[in-house]
Amino acid sequence: MRAYQSEYQQSIQHPETFWAEQARRVPWFKPPETILSYDEHGHARWYADGELNTCHVALDHHVESGRGDQPAVFWDSPVTGGRRTLSYRELRDQVATFAGALAGLGVEKGDRVVIYMPMVPEALVAMYACARLGAVHSVVFGGFAPHELAMRIEDAEPKVVIAASCGIEVDNVIAYKPIIDKALAQSTHQPAACVILQRDQAQADLGSIDHDWQVLVENAAPADCVPVKGTDPLYILYTSGTTGKPKGVVRDHGGHAVAMHYSMERIYGMAPGEVFFSASDVGWVVGHSYIVYAPLILGCTTVVYEGKPVRTPDAGAFWRLIAEYRIKAFFTAPTAFRAIKKEDPDGKWLEKYDISCLRTLFLAGERLDPPTFHWLDDLLDVPVVDHWWQTETGWAIAANLQGLEPMPIKAGSATVPVPGFNVQVLNRQAEPAADHEQGSIVIRQPLPPGCLAGIWRDPQRFHQAYMAAFPGCYLTGDGGYFDEEGYLFIMGRTDDVINVAGHRLSTGEMEEVLGAHPAVAECAVIGILDNLKGQVPLGLVIPKDGYNGDPQTLEKELIAKVREQIGPIACLKQILVVSRLPKTRSGKILRKLLRTIADGNEFSMPSTIDDPTSLQEVHEHMMSCEVGASHQARQV
Ligand code: COA
Ligand code: AMP
């Protein structure tokens, strides 16, 4: 571990020197003199007096330095049959023109723009156009319902909303315009304009504030990059917290550009000119960092894929993409491979393609479970690298650094902390845990460049959610341990956040939706194990006294309500109507115990339980409804 140790130690002991050197790798309009400073809340800020523009770093700079004809984007859309290649010059020109169009709608530096788009190149054009103007984009994932979109619009207060007329799922065209109209009807904030990219699969009817994307760009003059400070916001990305209100994670231009560049080289081992494919969605952080920004910041080609791992049209889709676009590094979530493994357990589809170009497979978004790891490891001749990160950090906290010093892989471990992240595991006494002792994973201040600069307009929430638990440390919300060789094992969330098919969701938010139903007296939502999606939510509800409707009707209504309020992505497909929930004597629902039983694990009756028969009742109910592996749960 010599190269790694030396770089890691330098980054922790001399962060300013380390990150000053890394900052020299990206083109600034005015290089920063102040490398690290602290804001009024005591949070680390990087490159406060530097000036740059992320769009210039990722596009104009490369065109100016001879990369203009290189492909920047390969778009591949099996759901529409579409394919397109955009060179750096073409992308830069489209972005400049669209930025001009946005400027024509009054968008200026600091204004917010909400983007609700599927995986089309125009999503990247829209994001970069905002960056070019110094406007702050907030991309909302297409699987979210109008209510979720409305909450984000109210919080971000965008001047403009940019959307496509539709998104396309496997066998389903989802019209976006009605979703936007409903969201705007629910929102107290109204944008001045909406720009709609019309797609052939479902054209939208345009209203008085709507503009057709094509018409708008035909009449627009290109706009230049607006210089912004290193600490000026590039985007807000909302993510699930423990309450019903999502958290607007703010990312800045300077730290982000430096971190993206560093991570592409050191973590992913990429070089300019190579092809990188991240199979995620622009609506998630993985999409922001490793579809849209990082590959282009380094001068690579990014693959934008509008399709699924299976059924578009088959389980060989990823192998086809790797072979066709000569992809060097591929990044997705383990759930995608569980879906492939289910349809093609022997990897027969792989035999059809020459994927000798592939150097490394990266996985993140949820724990890489050892069975999936071993399946992939047996199937492929390349390292299968798990790495751990979150929306807040924007890049990996722990990884096996392929461009620094690849290390032996241990199944179930995300390997070692990435330079810049001073990761510690703390026990209940807030002391460093011993090797193999599980505890809360924290990152000591300063967080490295690229991590969240705050929660949009809510410094108090930033402090409460992340900084209050262990002074001087950022609380990741994940639990885990180090082994004797310094390998980090992530064991899952310590809060009410669950991970469904690599998507982060809040059980607290689902409880709010269920609890708002007039027939529900009390409820709990827990994440239970699922072979395909890792976890899925399970709702348990107690009807109000006097409710004498049919429990099955209530279950259906509640499932529909969550889908309508949060979106199909919530995947809440099972609700149990129960008469009691197990609680402590102080009235807290024993959620962890419910999870243990649903997952079929051994459990013991806690001494603090108020009424042991309530637990037996729920257990029997779970077994009769065939919930998870509850039939295997055994009291010890
Ligand atoms: N717009 C609208 N609806 C969407 C959507 C989008 N962008 N993405 C998903 N949905 C819908 C799906 O159609 C599905 O609807 P349904 O209940 O009517 O079938 C629902 O949301 C749940 O979607 P998902 O959890 O993705 O399940 P799935 O069965 O469609 O696919 C996988 C399962 C594993 C194939 C899929 O989740 C996947 O490819 N995951 C990769 C992981 C990933 O991209 N993670 C991002 C972070 S790295
Ligand atoms: P998100 O913010 O949506 O990226 O979700 C972040 C959360 O996903 C983390 O806090 C973890 O709980 C989980 N996660 C992401 N990557 C991993 C990983 N490699 N191993 C374990 N958990 C992970």
Side-chain angles (χ1 to χ4, degrees):
M1 288 201 194
R2 218 174 308 141
Y4 163 72
Q5 277 303 349
S6 143
E7 185 143 328
Y8 183 74
Q9 287 312 330
Q10 206 212 336
S11 76
I12 300 302
Q13 284 160 15
H14 309 287
E16 287 201 62
T17 321
F18 183 83
W19 290 112
E21 203 177 308
Q22 296 308 326
R24 284 195 273 277
R25 313 289 313 279
V26 304
W28 298 80
F29 296 138
K30 178 177 168 288
E33 284 168 20
T34 306
I35 303 302
L36 172 62
S37 51
Y38 288 86
D39 65 15
E40 69 271 32
H41 308 290
H43 304 139
R45 304 302 310 270
W46 295 92
Y47 316 123
D49 61 355
E51 281 180 20
L52 78 171
N53 182 296
T54 302
C55 184
H56 170 258
V57 176
L59 299 180
D60 300 61
H61 164 72
H62 290 309
V63 175
E64 286 154 17
S65 46
R67 223 170 262 291
D69 296 327
Q70 182 195 309
V73 174
F74 290 136
W75 177 61
D76 190 298
S77 168
V79 292
T80 60
R83 281 174 194 230
R84 234 191 290 165
T85 299
L86 287 177
S87 68
Y88 269 86
R89 184 173 295 104
E90 285 166 331
L91 182 59
R92 193 268 321 260
D93 291 348
Q94 287 191 20
V95 167
T97 308
F98 191 64
L102 287 180
L105 295 175
V107 175
E108 292 174 359
K109 182 177 168 188
D111 286 339
R112 273 81 55 215
V113 174
V114 162
I115 300 175
Y116 190 67
M117 292 187 91
M119 291 293 288
V120 290
E122 287 82 358
L124 279 73
V125 172
M127 291 164 81
Y128 274 114
C130 293
R132 195 170 186 87
L133 297 174
V136 183
H137 64 67
S138 186
V139 182
V140 181
F141 178 64
F144 281 123
H147 176 67
E148 291 286 325
L149 180 57
M151 280 200 287
R152 286 155 174 81
I153 289 173
E154 282 202 332
D155 197 62
E157 300 184 322
K159 198 172 249 180
V160 170
V161 171
I162 305 170
S165 58
C166 65
I168 299 151
E169 282 298 285
V170 180
D171 27 43
N172 208 356
V173 173
I174 297 157
Y176 279 5
K177 190 62 184 11
I179 298 177
I180 294 160
D181 290 345
K182 269 193 203 160
L184 291 180
Q186 290 177 28
S187 166
T188 49
H189 173 83
Q190 297 298 310
C194 290
V195 182
I196 307 288
L197 175 76
Q198 294 283 20
R199 303 188 81 194
D200 293 341
Q201 293 75 14
Q203 298 258 331
D205 293 332
L206 302 187
S208 59
I209 63 161
D210 301 330
H211 300 261
D212 182 313
W213 175 300
Q214 274 319 328
V215 177
L216 207 60
V217 293
E218 273 160 26
N219 298 309
D224 267 341
C225 290
V226 173
V228 296
K229 292 271 183 244
T231 44
D232 279 339
L234 168 66
Y235 68 76
I236 307 167
L237 179 58
Y238 289 88
T239 189
S240 303
T242 50
T243 68
K245 191 169 179 272
K247 292 187 278 206
V249 167
V250 179
R251 189 104 49 223
D252 59 17
H253 276 259
H256 175 252
V258 174
M260 291 299 98
H261 192 283
Y262 177 78
S263 64
M264 281 302 279
E265 287 190 331
R266 288 298 204 249
I267 297 176
Y268 301 103
M270 293 296 290
E274 293 182 333
V275 184
F276 191 84
F277 174 29
S278 172
S280 179
D281 187 284
V282 290
W284 305 116
V285 68
V286 175
H288 278 63
S289 294
Y290 295 107
I291 295 174
V292 179
Y293 286 115
L296 302 191
I297 284 173
L298 189 67
C300 296
T301 303
T302 187
V303 178
V304 175
Y305 176 58
E306 190 181 28
K308 298 270 175 180
V310 291
R311 296 184 291 151
T312 56
D314 53 51
F318 283 166
W319 311 133
R320 172 184 71 79
L321 289 155
I322 294 169
E324 256 174 54
Y325 297 109
R326 308 313 293 158
I327 289 161
K328 283 277 186 282
F330 173 41
F331 175 178
T332 191
T335 186
F337 276 113
R338 288 197 296 270
I340 293 171
K341 183 176 151 203
K342 198 166 156 220
E343 294 206 359
D344 182 23
D346 301 322
K348 289 265 183 274
W349 279 103
L350 180 56
E351 290 165 15
K352 294 185 196 295
Y353 300 101
D354 167 17
I355 64 156
S356 54
C357 52
L358 186 69
R359 205 164 42 210
T360 326
L361 169 63
F362 293 92
L363 294 138
E366 55 173 328
R367 180 165 182 259
L368 174 55
D369 53 295
T372 306
F373 167 76
H374 289 302
W375 184 76
L376 285 165
D377 197 38
D378 290 345
L379 197 65
L380 302 174
D381 295 329
V382 301
V384 176
V385 174
D386 183 14
H387 60 324
W388 166 60
W389 52 301
Q390 33 186 231
T391 304
E392 290 85 344
T393 62
W395 60 298
I397 312 164
N400 196 321
L401 292 112
Q402 298 300 296
L404 178 59
E405 186 184 356
M407 292 177 193
I409 290 169
K410 293 190 190 182
S413 170
T415 316
V416 289
V418 167
F421 289 94
N422 188 350
V423 178
Q424 308 216 332
V425 177
L426 301 182
N427 62 21
R428 280 177 200 278
Q429 290 74 43
E431 290 159 355
D435 292 348
H436 292 276
E437 185 190 356
Q438 275 200 43
S440 286
I441 310 180
V442 302
I443 305 166
R444 263 194 199 288
Q445 282 268 48
L447 289 170
C451 293
L452 79 170
I455 298 295
W456 182 247
R457 289 196 177 141
D458 203 346
Q460 191 53 32
R461 191 165 182 197
F462 184 24
H463 180 78
Q464 270 314 110
Y466 304 107
M467 311 307 286
F470 299 103
C473 296
Y474 163 87
L475 182 72
T476 65
D478 281 299
Y481 64 89
F482 278 112
D483 75 1
E484 62 291 342
E485 289 182 308
Y487 276 59
L488 185 60
F489 290 74
I490 312 300
M491 302 311 288
R493 299 285 305 191
T494 54
D495 54 17
D496 296 335
V497 168
I498 59 170
N499 210 305
V500 181
H503 309 134
R504 175 166 156 182
L505 297 164
S506 158
T507 54
E509 183 172 11
M510 292 186 218
E511 286 180 7
E512 280 184 28
V513 177
L514 299 184
H517 189 285
V520 171
E522 216 175 338
C523 65
V525 175
I526 54 171
I528 65 170
L529 292 181
D530 180 78
N531 283 340
L532 175 64
K533 300 197 175 185
Q535 277 185 307
V536 287
L538 168 75
L540 298 124
V541 299
I542 305 178
K544 280 188 181 148
D545 285 350
Y547 174 78
N548 45 26
D550 170 28
Q552 275 173 353
T553 309
L554 181 58
E555 286 168 16
K556 279 202 193 109
E557 269 175 40
L558 292 170
I559 288 169
K561 203 157 183 269
V562 169
R563 195 177 167 95
E564 181 196 302
Q565 291 266 310
I566 300 179
I569 204 71
C571 288
L572 179 64
K573 301 255 158 101
Q574 201 168 18
I575 301 251
L576 304 184
V577 175
V578 295
S579 53
R580 288 182 298 167
L581 282 167
K583 290 184 183 168
T584 61
R585 275 184 218 105
S586 59
K588 270 184 99 172
I589 298 172
L590 289 157
R591 289 180 172 76
K592 202 168 160 205
L593 187 60
L594 287 168
R595 253 187 351 245
T596 307
I597 295 174
D599 292 342
N601 296 323
E602 286 185 349
F603 65 98
S604 50
M605 192 63 73
S607 56
T608 52
I609 195 163
D610 184 37
D611 176 3
T613 58
S614 61
L615 187 65
Q616 276 146 12
E617 237 175 79
V618 171
H619 186 187
E620 278 161 24
H621 199 120
M622 281 186 183
M623 285 198 291
S624 69
C625 297
E626 297 179 359
V627 167
S630 58
H631 56 283
Q632 289 168 9
R634 206 166 50 85
Q635 190 180 338
V636 289

